[in-house]
């Protein structure tokens, strides 16, 4: 495999141009974004990577969720407005976008084989772990797994006291949040003999206050 996360080191600025460059450098044709909200990230990525991407799957529940302390977890009326805004923002890219309104785990069976996934849905340890485990079987032999907010629950609260990612959807507490889930999943893949994974790369906080992360996958 010749997949690379070098764009996170080479491309200046925040996550949008870095992820778009990563898609281009790796000729990623089929991509899924989990956690779309108003479509701003997808629009910025596709504005640059539209010549490469053939299918861009947009996955979001667009409903308020229990046990999720995050300013993005707004009421259902606002969620529906966010979905409409996303559809408006992404209308110029309607030839490549595929919409999935529902749980990320349910959408996984409809995305085909993915060259890249960007995980930015629930940010608690259980939710991120479930997304990683669910989407890994959907990844192409050579592919990239990436996502947003590479922080523990404590690191998140240090930046924004109104966010608490320690509570899972089932009410249990796990302080690892996104960073813990990604690191634990990455370690499990490293222990397998049928998979080769690259190191976890992430943007530094000067470029992005809530940094994105990425690693390459090669299924042997």
């Amino acid at each position: 495999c010749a997949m690379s996360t070098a764009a996170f080191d080479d491309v200046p600025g925040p996550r949008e141009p870095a992820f778009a460059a990563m898609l281009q450098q790796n000729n990623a044709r089929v991509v899924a974004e989990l956690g779309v909200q108003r479509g701003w990230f997808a629009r910025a990525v596709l504005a640059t990577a539209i010549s490469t991407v053939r299918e861009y799957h947009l996955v979001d529940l667009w409903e308020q969720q229990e046990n999720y302390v995050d300013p993005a977890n707004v009421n259902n009326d606002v969620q529906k407005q966010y979905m409409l805004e996303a559809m408006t923002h992404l209308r110029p890219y309607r030839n490549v976008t595929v919409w999935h309104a529902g749980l990320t785990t349910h959408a996984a069976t409809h995305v085909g084989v993915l060259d890249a996934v960007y995980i930015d849905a629930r940010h608690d340890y259980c939710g991120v772990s479930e997304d990683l485990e669910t989407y890994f079987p959907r990844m192409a032999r050579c592919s990239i797994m990436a996502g947003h907010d590479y922080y523990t629950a404590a690191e998140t609260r240090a930046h924004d006291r109104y966010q608490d990612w320690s509570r899972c959807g089932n009410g249990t507490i796990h302080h690892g949040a996104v960073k813990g889930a990604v690191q634990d999943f990455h370690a499990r893949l490293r222990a397998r003999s049928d998979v080769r994974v690259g190191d976890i790369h992430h943007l530094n906080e000067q470029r992005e206050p809530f940094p994105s992360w990425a690693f390459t996958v090669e299924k042997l």
Side-chain angles (χ1 to χ4, degrees):
C1 286
M3 305 299 277
S4 171
T5 57
F8 268 21
D9 299 320
D10 299 341
V11 178
R15 61 183 179 137
E16 292 88 350
F19 186 64
M22 194 182 302
L23 297 182
Q24 292 177 306
Q25 290 173 1
N26 294 287
N27 197 33
R29 301 290 188 179
V30 184
V31 182
E33 179 185 330
L34 315 184
V36 178
Q37 203 182 42
R38 300 160 97 166
W40 291 337
F41 177 75
R43 179 176 62 178
V45 169
L46 286 171
T48 299
I50 189 62
S51 61
T52 300
V53 174
R54 293 293 173 266
E55 288 183 19
Y56 197 97
H57 294 267
L58 298 148
V59 184
D60 200 304
L61 182 60
W62 283 294
E63 292 181 8
Q64 193 170 44
Q65 300 181 64
E66 294 183 355
N67 293 323
Y68 190 40
V69 184
D70 188 298
N73 192 31
V74 293
N75 67 57
N76 285 345
D77 288 339
V78 178
Q79 294 282 1
K80 295 301 182 186
Q81 183 60 40
Y82 283 176
M83 182 175 66
L84 293 174
E85 287 183 34
M87 290 178 172
T88 299
H89 292 153
L90 292 161
R91 188 171 294 135
Y93 308 105
R94 56 187 174 275
N95 290 339
V96 300
T97 50
V98 184
W99 296 83
H100 306 269
L103 295 170
T104 55
T105 49
H106 293 173
T109 58
H110 304 290
V111 298
V113 179
L114 298 173
D115 298 308
V117 64
Y118 191 86
I119 299 172
D120 193 18
R122 284 190 70 107
H123 291 63
D124 57 272
Y125 180 92
C126 305
V128 177
S129 296
E130 188 173 38
D131 284 340
L132 288 163
E133 295 284 357
T134 300
Y135 279 81
F136 177 75
R138 307 293 169 184
M139 305 309 297
R141 187 179 74 84
C142 298
S143 50
I144 290 175
M145 301 194 80
H148 197 207
D149 302 308
Y150 190 62
Y151 277 158
T152 64
E155 289 169 332
T156 302
R157 284 194 297 272
H159 285 268
D160 185 346
R161 61 190 179 92
Y162 295 105
Q163 298 190 103
D164 181 4
W165 298 342
S166 66
R167 187 177 298 277
C168 289
N170 61 8
T172 61
I173 301 298
H174 197 303
H175 297 285
V178 177
K179 182 183 283 188
V182 172
Q183 290 179 345
D184 287 353
F185 180 73
H186 185 265
R188 290 195 295 274
L189 291 183
R190 277 254 159 105
R192 292 172 53 165
S193 60
D194 61 339
V195 180
R196 183 181 294 129
V197 292
D199 293 337
I200 301 171
H201 282 218
H202 59 88
L203 299 179
N204 63 51
E205 294 181 17
Q206 285 69 42
R207 290 174 59 187
E208 185 179 35
F210 286 77
S212 291
W213 56 269
F215 59 82
T216 58
V217 171
E218 180 182 2
K219 298 180 180 180
L220 305 177

